Amino acid sequence: MDYSFSLELIYLVASITYILGLKMLGHPETARRGNLIAASGMTLAILGTIFFYQGDVPTFIYLLIGVAILIGTISGWVVARRVKMTKMPELVSLFNGMGGASAALIGLIEFAHYTDHRLSILTILGGVIIGSISFSGSMIAWGKLNGTLAKPIRLPKYNLINNLVILGILVFAAYMVWSGSDSQLFLYLLFLAAIFYGVIFVLPIGGADMPVVISLLNSFTGLAAALSGFLYGNMVLLTGGILVGSAGTILTFAMCNAMNRSLVSVLFGGFGDKSSDSSEVTSDTFEGEIKKTTVSDVAILMNYSKRVIFVPGYGLAVAQAQHAIHELEELLVSRGVEVKYAIHPVAGRMPGHMNVLLAETNVEYSKLAEMEDVNPEFQNTDVVFVVGANDVVNPAAHNDKSSPIYGMPILEVENAKKVIVNKRSMKPGYAGIENELFYHPKTSMLFGDAKKVIQELISEIKGM
Amino acid sequence: MTELIDFIANNLQMVYIIILMIFVGVEIIGHVPAVLHTPLMSGANAIHGVIIIGAILVMLGAEPENKIALALGFVAVILGTLNVVGGFVVTDRMLEMFKKKK
């Protein structure tokens, strides 16, 4: 058995682990094992690539590779282990950007070696463009999710400008391929232009849509990896890349579906953009006033209710109140109250965010109700306690055709007998729009940090 | 055009793999509950870290005196490793919380 055959065999095994791993990630019971299987396949492929490489390689290069892997492993491990659960979404974006940058760098280096063949130039330029867009786009998404770039920034006519920029990039790249150019200057110009495009591509998109954008950029990076696999004729790069590219695309559409929006409107529509043609009905002029309530009133209300439903949102994650709310739930259950959590599929910053967060506290699965199942139950519910959620309970999605979230399925909490909304302030949610639920006669506002408020509720109820 | 046809003819195997993998990817993701979208995205994110193999190949194939290529390759390997290790560890942490309890 010669060396190169063993390597091909390793690559084959690794490719199978990716497919198997992704498949298993789709089921709650097998998900964790699936992730580990894919990870071991990856380790195998990396080791195989290093140890079965044929050709004279000076020792110091092996050393350099070892050092680089060591640095990457330690920092990646530490960051991923240390980061808070609430920061997970932006971390995924960050790591995605790293992959994209890696793909772009590979293209930058290899360009000089493959200028004899137009198809190779095409492949390399494709990798550089897609990798760079994925890198800078992910960095912007990362900044948006951690709040540094909270507001969508839009230049006038940004759609037109963006499209002109990407068109320019494509035409320039096509010219380079066609003329068989080997100009390093052109290559770096293209690289910088693609970086720039990634920035202006993501900047105008609102924060609520970042999960979709990250998923899309994720499949971009997959494509960039596949292109370099194509270049090298490397099977594991090719299969891994294409697999993520296609799975990521489908996932992107699935996420859009969960929000009842089309990908086109996510990318070019501008979430929370009221300026254009819907300026007639400005949603921030609601009739009526908001009612404030106090912790002790809410405590009494909850303690003597039969059915209570919690609606968690990003505010719960930010306040790290997942353990507190679980304690409140157990306390109420011990008082004979029926308690459930209503989970909107896109509550939080990512689909499934709330499930992950609550699972951390060992909340029973059966208590987490999905939107379709729980919506008919609200009318028989005494108290709905909305904790740091906003857009996912905004009735404008049903009533207000001009609203940017019109058509998005929501939790119909306004059907319950009483709605308590806990927020830190009246600031609008991530979509940047007002919520008429807060002005609803059934609604009372309980302002304050979620964790603090819930802990106060707990001690109040305990005293009863 | 002939260039393209030549290429396809010479690399038929890769063309097959690309097409089949696209379908595999689509099939795998169909009907996944929304709860698992985030871990799945994170897992897929880790898998495209396979780009690290490209980065390693760049370094292994670089001429020892080509300092720029080595430096860029070095950075590419670090970034690729970050993608792989960070991606898998984050996914595992997310899924750790889905552990079954009864």
Side-chain angles (χ1 to χ4, degrees):
Chain A
M1 203 165 61
D2 66 72
Y3 275 143
S4 95
F5 179 70
S6 330
L7 185 57
E8 288 307 323
L9 213 59
I10 287 177
Y11 283 168
L12 182 65
V13 171
S15 302
I16 294 172
T17 64
Y18 301 158
I19 299 175
L20 213 62
L22 269 186
K23 178 87 198 155
M24 291 168 81
L25 272 167
H27 301 278
E29 314 84 57
T30 53
R32 199 171 177 200
R33 228 175 332 134
N35 183 53
L36 292 178
I37 287 176
S40 48
M42 184 72 76
T43 315
L44 205 63
I46 292 172
L47 293 178
T49 307
I50 296 174
F51 292 109
F52 287 133
Y53 186 78
Q54 284 161 310
D56 272 332
V57 181
T59 324
F60 85 96
I61 290 188
Y62 275 116
L63 261 171
L64 276 180
I65 295 175
V67 170
I69 292 183
L70 202 68
I71 295 176
T73 306
I74 294 175
S75 39
W77 190 285
V78 168
V79 171
R81 270 280 146 209
R82 288 246 178 105
V83 81
K84 287 196 194 119
M85 270 325 274
T86 40
K87 299 271 173 201
M88 291 283 171
E90 51 252 53
L91 206 59
V92 174
S93 183
L94 185 70
F95 290 139
N96 181 49
M98 300 293 108
S102 188
L105 287 178
I106 291 172
L108 287 183
I109 304 164
E110 291 295 10
F111 184 70
H113 303 139
Y114 286 87
T115 42
D116 51 331
H117 204 299
R118 274 186 204 170
L119 214 76
S120 310
I121 302 181
L122 178 68
T123 315
I124 290 176
L125 294 185
V128 170
I129 294 172
I130 298 172
S132 309
I133 292 176
S134 184
F135 165 66
S136 57
S138 297
M139 290 304 110
I140 298 296
W142 176 62
K144 274 177 181 275
L145 282 173
N146 70 20
T148 344
L149 296 164
K151 265 221 150 93
I153 300 164
R154 299 200 180 93
L155 303 166
K157 301 241 181 284
Y158 64 93
N159 267 336
L160 184 70
I161 295 176
N162 285 7
N163 291 337
L164 283 179
V165 170
I166 189 67
L167 202 71
I169 290 174
L170 293 180
V171 168
F172 189 54
Y175 164 76
M176 283 177 75
V177 173
W178 176 76
S179 65
S181 164
D182 60 354
S183 157
Q184 289 283 328
L185 175 71
F186 283 2
L187 175 71
Y188 279 89
L189 276 178
L190 197 67
F191 166 66
L192 291 177
I195 295 268
F196 175 68
Y197 179 72
V199 173
I200 59 172
F201 170 64
V202 180
L203 264 186
I205 302 174
D209 283 328
M210 276 310 119
V212 176
V213 172
I214 295 173
S215 177
L216 186 72
L217 294 175
N218 190 26
S219 60
F220 275 17
T221 313
L223 199 59
L227 282 171
S228 72
F230 200 65
L231 183 70
Y232 294 125
N234 183 299
M235 288 306 167
V236 77
L237 260 171
L238 194 65
T239 52
I242 294 281
L243 195 62
V244 174
S246 98
T249 308
I250 298 300
L251 195 58
T252 310
F253 283 114
M255 286 183 178
C256 285
N257 277 342
M259 295 194 286
N260 202 17
R261 309 188 61 223
S262 72
L263 187 59
V264 175
S265 70
V266 168
L267 297 185
F268 304 109
F271 206 55
D273 181 13
K274 293 180 288 192
S275 60
S276 47
D277 43 348
S278 61
S279 52
E280 296 295 301
V281 200
T282 38
S283 33
D284 37 355
T285 51
F286 283 120
E287 298 295 312
E289 285 176 19
I290 56 157
K291 274 200 305 280
K292 284 191 198 170
T293 184
T294 60
V295 168
S296 43
D297 283 347
V298 176
I300 293 170
L301 194 65
M302 282 188 179
N303 196 29
Y304 297 105
S305 292
K306 267 175 73 183
R307 305 186 59 178
V308 174
I309 294 183
F310 295 159
V311 178
Y314 188 62
L316 182 89
V318 171
Q320 292 282 319
Q322 64 271 36
H323 293 283
I325 201 166
H326 179 47
E327 202 186 333
L328 178 65
E329 165 225 318
E330 288 185 319
L331 179 65
L332 287 172
V333 168
S334 76
R335 298 286 167 97
V337 184
E338 198 182 307
V339 185
K340 259 187 197 166
Y341 297 82
I343 310 288
H344 191 281
V346 296
R349 286 291 182 273
M350 284 202 156
H353 194 176
M354 289 300 120
N355 302 71
V356 173
L357 197 72
L358 288 168
E360 187 190 342
T361 68
N362 288 332
V363 170
E364 268 176 58
Y365 276 126
S366 56
K367 287 204 160 37
L368 304 181
E370 302 220 359
M371 183 174 59
E372 297 81 34
D373 304 325
V374 81
N375 265 342
E377 292 187 25
F378 281 119
Q379 48 181 332
N380 303 321
T381 302
D382 301 305
V383 180
V384 169
F385 185 39
V386 179
V387 189
N390 190 341
D391 299 325
V392 297
V393 293
N394 192 340
H398 282 333
N399 316 329
D400 182 1
K401 280 213 168 105
S402 68
S403 169
I405 61 165
Y406 182 73
M408 180 172 98
I410 54 160
L411 291 163
E412 293 149 6
V413 296
E414 73 271 19
N415 294 338
K417 297 197 182 92
K418 192 98 185 81
V419 180
I420 307 292
V421 178
N422 166 241
K423 278 169 66 58
R424 273 179 301 184
S425 66
M426 277 306 284
K427 246 177 56 190
Y430 227 40
I433 50 173
E434 284 282 339
N435 192 338
E436 70 176 83
L437 177 75
F438 304 156
Y439 303 88
H440 200 280
K442 284 179 188 173
T443 308
S444 302
M445 305 298 292
L446 185 58
F447 289 113
D449 173 76
K451 191 171 178 179
K452 209 169 136 262
V453 164
I454 295 172
Q455 280 166 346
E456 283 169 11
L457 275 173
I458 292 170
S459 58
E460 195 78 31
I461 294 176
K462 273 186 180 155
M464 277 182 213
Chain B
M1 201 59 206
T2 43
E3 224 173 327
L4 187 70
I5 290 170
D6 276 357
F7 182 86
I8 293 178
N10 293 333
N11 295 279
L12 210 53
Q13 212 186 357
M14 281 213 273
V15 175
Y16 265 93
I17 287 182
I18 292 173
I19 292 170
L20 291 178
M21 272 298 158
I22 291 177
F23 281 97
V24 171
V26 170
E27 280 307 309
I28 284 178
I29 302 300
H31 313 300
V32 168
V35 183
L36 284 172
H37 280 172
T38 299
L40 193 63
M41 173 159 97
S42 180
N45 175 43
I47 289 176
H48 70 49
V50 70
I51 190 71
I52 186 196
I53 286 175
I56 292 173
L57 287 176
V58 163
M59 286 202 78
L60 289 172
E63 305 89 25
E65 59 280 358
N66 188 346
K67 296 283 183 293
I68 300 173
L70 282 177
L72 289 180
F74 185 72
V75 177
V77 173
I78 294 182
L79 295 177
T81 321
L82 269 173
N83 187 178
V84 170
V85 177
F88 280 119
V89 173
V90 161
T91 314
D92 189 61
R93 264 191 74 190
M94 285 182 193
L95 294 169
E96 201 174 54
M97 299 177 172
F98 280 86
K99 63 177 177 278
K100 263 230 150 92
K101 50 161 272 166
K102 252 285 111 73

